[in-house]
Amino acid sequence: MSQAKELRKQLMMKERKGAASFSDQEMKEAYAFAEGYKKFLDFSRTEREAVIYTKKLAEERGFEEYDPEKTYKPGDRFYVINRGKDIGLVVVGKNGVKNGVKLAIAHIDSPRVDLKPNPLYEDSSMALFKTHYYGGIKKYQWTAIPLGLHGRVVKLDGTCVDIRIGDDEDDECFLITDLLPHLDKEQAKKTMNQAFTGEDLNILIGSVPLEDSEEKELVALNVMKILNERYGIVEDDFLSAELTFCPAFKTRDIGFDRSMIGGYGHDDKCCAYPAVIAALDTELPESTVITYLTDKEEIGSEGNTGMQSDFLRYFIYDLAKAEGVEGYHVLSKSKCLSADVNAAFDPTFSSAYEPKNASFMNEGVVISKYTGHGGKYDTSDASAEFMGEIRAMLEKNSVKWQIGELGKVDIGGGGTIAKYVANMNVDVVDLGVAVLCMHAPFEVISKPDLYMAYKAFYSLFN
Ligand code: MN
Ligand code: MN
């Protein structure tokens, strides 16, 4: 070996090898792991649905609902739910919480199209819903694709109606219309932002009028009649509802080699699921572990179900109190992987990325030392010490990983929940899966990357 070759081997970073660096065994395990994930993703279109599915998975593996009155011992397993939209899974450690807790936190809300509080109208003998989109979407991607309706309506008497339409092939579905290319000369001159505005995202929901020659707007009335027969709701009930339209695509394998997964809501369920399974697979850790799935990340982690809420902090205080220690002492010794996705390098749009620091599909789980935007605004920048600790942990446990910055420095940016965790005086860094087409109705991840995320969370917990 020449001296330069020898020195390069000793001193320089290894070249990226993509999926070639995974062993046959790892690939086999990754493909098997993906099957459970696909089921989770198909069910979990919204945060409420993700909580229901996670609770079921946890109960099947011996988790019980948290009881503040109960004294827990090492190895005990329980879950806590916040308003049906966040769920925490806890496995009590040998040392409990006194040396801090190990946290993996992912978000289970995804970009989508929400109904306005007063949505129903009729125009040109078509019934439509007005919407207000949720999270960062490229609006044109959401037109002319099948959408399903999900959510909850609370009636005046307080009863709740849960709605879920569009997942089965036999279900009806809905869509946002777009202009045909034959007539789009004016539209095509506009910028992408102007060509599709928020007020254009109207959902087509019916076209048949109720039979009656006297009354007007009979198509919308007919829709309301169908909804009333099926769910017992009236138009006023939309005022106390959370209804949302999500893509109705099924999760599918992508590629001739079936190495990738296409689906709606990978951001951030492709981190939530492996964090959940890592907690389920943890039996008796040293310190108590918590996988926490949170809501509202896509709109800034606001509100009492977002990561800016005190819910998780108070829950950890309760765990501390039960063991006779101070909650803030527990937090100050805690460590967290903020489990969120990064943008996978896309060769078709390579100019948006800086390839030395971009994350690539099949290079393993991505650590983002910081997120934010130009000038490192709005981010928690993980310390060298914590980066060192996590890096050593991943290497020790043979977890393939890579570093990733979202894109070129001044081109845009994005945030995660990490900064809110850091504000609780917890050591935290972002770790997750690289995603292609992030925030599109159909996003793409790689199976081995998903599996490496699981191995990373399991390594933290154990
Ligand atoms: Mn995310
Ligand atoms: Mn996102």
Side-chain angles (χ1 to χ4, degrees):
M1 207 183 283
S2 73
Q3 196 196 10
K5 200 169 182 182
E6 180 67 41
L7 277 176
R8 184 180 308 281
K9 203 174 155 211
Q10 282 176 24
L11 303 180
M12 305 300 278
M13 277 186 177
K14 289 194 186 69
E15 271 177 53
R16 297 185 183 110
K17 284 189 180 158
S21 61
F22 296 111
S23 68
D24 289 350
Q25 182 61 26
E26 281 171 328
M27 288 301 270
K28 222 176 116 191
E29 287 167 9
Y31 277 52
F33 189 82
E35 293 307 306
Y37 172 62
K38 288 192 286 187
K39 290 195 187 93
F40 171 80
L41 193 62
D42 270 336
F43 186 87
S44 306
R45 306 275 164 178
T46 65
E47 58 280 357
R48 285 181 196 273
E49 291 164 352
V51 166
I52 291 168
Y53 199 93
T54 302
K55 175 172 174 265
K56 189 176 131 259
L57 286 178
E59 283 175 343
E60 284 166 6
R61 299 282 295 272
F63 284 66
E64 288 175 3
E65 190 168 7
Y66 172 61
D67 176 0
E69 304 301 316
K70 197 173 156 182
T71 310
Y72 290 100
K73 57 181 195 309
D76 280 349
R77 303 148 81 75
F78 53 90
Y79 62 84
V80 65
I81 292 176
N82 177 19
R83 298 170 166 89
K85 298 178 186 178
D86 307 324
I87 184 166
L89 307 179
V90 182
V91 182
V92 180
K94 284 179 217 163
N95 300 313
V97 302
K98 69 172 188 283
N99 300 327
V101 294
K102 302 280 178 64
L103 284 157
I105 309 181
H107 68 92
I108 44 177
D109 61 319
S110 299
R112 63 193 188 212
V113 179
D114 285 350
L115 278 200
K116 287 193 183 188
N118 185 13
L120 180 65
Y121 72 105
E122 177 171 333
D123 193 342
S124 315
S125 296
M126 288 189 283
L128 299 119
F129 275 151
K130 293 299 295 179
T131 68
H132 194 141
Y133 59 97
Y134 173 97
I137 62 169
K138 293 170 81 169
K139 299 183 191 81
Y140 74 89
Q141 295 179 332
W142 294 70
T143 65
I145 57 165
L147 299 171
L149 178 62
H150 302 251
R152 170 167 283 193
V153 182
V154 178
K155 297 198 275 186
L156 204 52
D157 66 1
T159 53
C160 295
V161 183
D162 287 323
I163 296 180
R164 186 183 174 108
I165 310 170
D167 295 326
D168 285 337
E169 279 168 37
D170 296 338
D171 281 0
E172 67 271 46
C173 65
F174 313 90
L175 91 162
I176 297 165
T177 56
D178 192 8
L179 191 58
L180 60 168
H182 316 65
L183 299 180
D184 81 342
K185 290 267 178 307
E186 289 305 313
Q187 185 191 37
K189 280 188 222 152
K190 295 179 183 170
T191 62
M192 227 150 57
N193 269 343
Q194 292 160 338
F196 301 86
T197 69
E199 294 299 345
D200 294 334
L201 301 182
N202 303 316
I203 312 255
L204 182 59
I205 54 165
S207 66
V208 174
L210 201 70
E211 276 182 48
D212 191 320
S213 53
E214 307 284 302
E215 292 289 312
K216 286 197 178 122
E217 306 208 328
L218 291 165
V219 179
L221 184 60
N222 194 38
V223 163
M224 209 56 242
K225 179 172 173 271
I226 294 166
L227 287 173
N228 182 264
E229 283 164 2
R230 215 190 282 182
Y231 302 110
I233 58 174
V234 298
E235 191 182 8
D236 277 339
D237 292 329
F238 286 124
L239 299 173
S240 49
E242 285 175 307
L243 290 170
T244 185
F245 283 92
C246 304
F249 309 128
K250 259 206 146 31
T251 308
R252 308 275 296 269
D253 284 347
I254 301 268
F256 291 113
D257 52 18
R258 307 186 81 112
S259 59
M260 297 164 280
I261 309 167
Y264 164 65
H266 283 320
D267 177 9
D268 187 30
K269 282 121 188 169
C270 70
C271 298
Y273 180 78
V276 165
I277 303 301
L280 301 188
D281 287 350
T282 296
E283 301 282 341
L284 188 60
E286 291 294 320
S287 290
T288 295
V289 308
I290 305 176
T291 285
Y292 189 71
L293 307 184
T294 185
D295 177 30
K296 297 283 185 283
E297 192 278 340
E298 296 296 356
I299 57 166
S301 299
E302 309 284 347
N304 56 13
T305 56
M307 213 37 227
Q308 296 198 62
S309 147
D310 283 327
F311 183 85
L312 180 61
R313 180 201 300 269
Y314 290 163
F315 175 63
I316 291 173
Y317 284 5
D318 282 343
L319 298 183
K321 200 172 165 190
E323 292 181 22
V325 287
E326 287 286 358
Y328 65 92
H329 285 160
V330 172
L331 285 173
S332 67
K333 292 177 202 157
S334 293
K335 296 179 193 305
C336 176
L337 291 175
S338 161
D340 209 345
V341 299
N342 202 315
F345 184 87
D346 185 339
T348 305
F349 302 102
S350 58
S351 66
Y353 302 84
E354 188 272 282
K356 287 230 20 131
N357 289 280
S359 57
F360 288 75
M361 200 174 258
N362 286 321
E363 290 297 335
V365 80
V366 189
I367 295 191
S368 308
K369 187 173 180 297
Y370 49 85
T371 57
H373 52 99
K376 291 194 172 181
Y377 276 86
D378 291 326
T379 186
S380 153
D381 194 349
S383 68
E385 290 85 349
F386 194 54
M387 286 294 288
E389 198 178 322
I390 295 300
R391 181 182 152 212
M393 177 195 87
L394 296 173
E395 295 289 338
K396 188 174 151 226
N397 291 284
S398 308
V399 182
K400 190 180 176 187
W401 71 281
Q402 57 182 323
I403 201 79
E405 224 185 344
L406 191 57
K408 278 185 177 163
V409 172
D410 284 330
I411 211 166
T416 67
I417 56 104
K419 59 179 177 175
Y420 306 113
V421 178
N423 290 347
M424 295 199 284
N425 200 23
V426 171
D427 276 323
V428 58
V429 68
D430 278 299
L431 178 147
V433 177
V435 179
L436 277 175
C437 315
M438 195 196 292
H439 284 204
F442 199 66
E443 305 172 302
V444 183
I445 61 165
S446 104
K447 290 179 182 177
D449 291 344
L450 175 76
Y451 185 56
M452 287 299 136
Y454 161 77
K455 286 187 63 169
F457 302 130
Y458 188 83
S459 303
L460 175 77
F461 291 164
N462 294 277

